[in-house]
Amino acid sequence: MKSFSFFQDGVVLHHSNGLSQTIYFNANSGKLYWRYKIDTITNVQHPCIYLGKDARGRDYVIHNHYHYGSAFVDTWHGFSQGQTVYDNYLPSCKNPPLTIIQNALNQVILKKRYDVLSYNCQTTVNLACNNDPKSQSVDTWMPVLVAGMGVLVIGGILAMFNE
């Protein structure tokens, strides 16, 4: 996607190949949803921002996924991956729904590379919702990883002195 333009009831996505796609807003547009990340043991929540429906009735979301390399517009089906999808990813958002959508679409255009620590799925949603590049999972797991590394380093040093 290279640009977008809002109209009263939705948004037109202008793609790099010259084609355009119209997405119509509804009561869920700008809401945050999530599913569990697949193939993890940590129950990481993978969030998205609901965009709307096309003329055929297909639902679209915006999310960031390592497999695609950056934030992008996807179908609900593509996002869900056959998993249960839950609502209310965050307790509240600073920005109203249209601003959330605009912020998320701007991230799609920027094509910033996915980074598990600094720009992941949760960061994308938090930036759109609260203008805050935060990842709840990184905030939760980073201290655990640092502590674990510390234990390994100290254990290695002690092992050297015990030889």
Side-chain angles (χ1 to χ4, degrees):
M1 187 179 85
K2 69 176 185 173
S3 66
F4 61 92
S5 50
F6 288 115
F7 63 96
Q8 184 172 348
D9 297 327
V11 63
V12 178
L13 309 178
H14 306 283
H15 298 288
S16 301
N17 62 5
L19 298 177
S20 295
Q21 180 180 18
T22 302
I23 307 293
Y24 299 93
F25 296 148
N26 58 42
N28 294 324
S29 296
K31 287 187 178 180
L32 311 180
Y33 293 88
W34 65 277
R35 64 165 170 78
Y36 287 107
K37 276 195 174 269
I38 300 169
D39 297 329
T40 66
I41 59 170
T42 58
N43 286 330
V44 172
Q45 294 178 351
H46 179 64
C48 72
I49 298 161
Y50 183 84
L51 186 55
K53 291 182 180 282
D54 67 9
R56 293 177 166 178
R58 287 180 296 205
D59 295 287
Y60 287 85
V61 301
I62 302 163
H63 67 115
N64 190 354
H65 194 278
Y66 74 91
H67 182 75
Y68 298 99
S70 63
F72 67 107
V73 176
D74 198 1
T75 62
W76 182 270
H77 179 74
F79 168 76
S80 71
Q81 298 282 309
Q83 305 296 308
T84 301
V85 177
Y86 305 92
D87 63 355
N88 296 325
Y89 172 66
L90 294 174
S92 66
C93 285
K94 178 189 299 184
N95 295 323
L98 192 58
T99 302
I100 292 169
I101 291 169
Q102 182 176 12
N103 289 347
L105 289 173
N106 281 330
Q107 290 182 69
V108 171
I109 291 169
L110 287 174
K111 295 192 184 318
K112 182 175 178 178
R113 300 234 0 109
Y114 180 96
D115 183 280
V116 70
L117 296 178
S118 65
Y119 188 65
N120 59 42
C121 53
Q122 295 174 356
T123 308
T124 300
V125 169
N126 279 299
L127 277 168
C129 184
N130 291 313
N131 310 316
D132 183 15
K134 176 183 175 128
S135 171
Q136 291 83 346
S137 293
V138 170
D139 291 351
T140 298
W141 287 100
M142 188 54 71
V144 173
L145 292 173
V146 169
M149 294 296 286
V151 168
L152 290 175
V153 169
I154 291 170
I157 291 170
L158 292 174
M160 286 179 4
F161 285 117
N162 288 329
E163 289 183 1

